[in-house]
Amino acid sequence: MPRITTVTPENADAEQHDLLDATKRQLGRVPNLYATLAHSPAALRGYLALRDSLLTGVLTERHREQLALLTAQENTCDYCVAAHTMRGERLLKMTAEELRATRHAHDADPHTDAILQTAAAVIADRGRISDATLEQARAAGVTDAELAETVAHIALNTLSNYFNHLARPDLDFPAAPALDGAR
């Protein structure tokens, strides 16, 4: 049960209404996360601005989606795990095995695997990763720009994960399968 209600067209002020309309035009719908975060137009604008800026970065769409899914998994955000599992399946045509591997911070591609392993270490160690982890990433070809964007994606997705923990919006995506086993 939600702890914070969604902002709807009926109860939105003008600024909230404009933000939700822009979101609907861009995404085709307004996910409950966005409709709840809209209680603070400043928070929703900030979230959307960082998300939109990162769309123009060096990381691929697949990397961005994998980082969102991994961050949600690490932060135990069922809402975002469901949303990013669905996006991975439908938009990126990722298989169930690829999605499971991502949630365990792995990928068949060594470069992508290094990005995910580094991201998992950043999350677990709150950014204080070891020199060895950084060297492993660099040995796999992870660039400094990719490292910077990896941390930015973790921050963006942690914002949505933590807000979901606080607000508990209704899940408006198909639930993701349970994850078994260790990394």
Side-chain angles (χ1 to χ4, degrees):
M1 179 171 188
R3 296 200 297 185
I4 299 176
T5 61
T6 58
V7 176
T8 65
E10 296 76 35
N11 65 15
D13 65 25
E15 186 176 16
Q16 292 166 328
H17 193 270
D18 290 347
L19 279 168
L20 294 176
D21 275 352
T23 299
K24 186 173 183 178
R25 281 192 306 276
Q26 186 178 35
L27 301 179
R29 61 184 283 237
V30 180
N32 286 337
L33 162 65
Y34 292 54
T36 306
L37 194 55
H39 278 284
S40 169
L44 182 55
R45 273 194 320 273
Y47 174 84
L48 295 172
L50 180 55
R51 186 203 65 186
D52 291 348
S53 180
L54 290 172
L55 292 175
T56 65
V58 299
L59 291 173
T60 67
E61 181 179 16
R62 182 180 170 105
H63 289 144
R64 294 189 305 265
E65 201 58 47
Q66 288 178 289
L67 287 167
L69 179 56
L70 174 62
T71 302
Q73 181 66 44
E74 294 291 316
N75 287 327
T76 64
C77 180
D78 293 339
Y79 184 97
C80 288
V81 168
H84 295 291
T85 295
M86 185 193 79
R87 285 182 52 83
E89 288 173 343
R90 293 185 185 171
L91 298 178
L92 300 174
K93 308 299 183 206
M94 293 175 72
T95 67
E97 177 56 31
E98 289 170 323
L99 292 163
R100 187 193 71 70
T102 294
R103 290 170 68 185
H104 283 298
H106 288 294
D107 192 88
D109 172 67
H111 181 257
T112 302
D113 190 74
I115 290 171
L116 295 174
Q117 286 291 303
T118 303
V122 167
I123 295 165
D125 299 331
R126 295 186 171 103
R128 294 179 182 94
I129 65 169
S130 68
D131 290 342
T133 299
L134 183 58
E135 286 309 311
Q136 288 172 341
R138 287 190 169 138
V142 179
T143 67
D144 289 346
E146 289 172 320
L147 291 167
E149 287 181 26
T150 294
V151 173
H153 279 282
I154 292 167
L156 172 69
N157 288 289
T158 297
L159 186 160
S160 63
N161 299 164
Y162 284 12
F163 185 72
N164 283 324
H165 292 323
L166 169 73
R168 295 187 190 154
D170 285 329
L171 186 61
D172 50 350
F173 301 96
L179 186 62
D180 60 335
R183 271 189 209 141

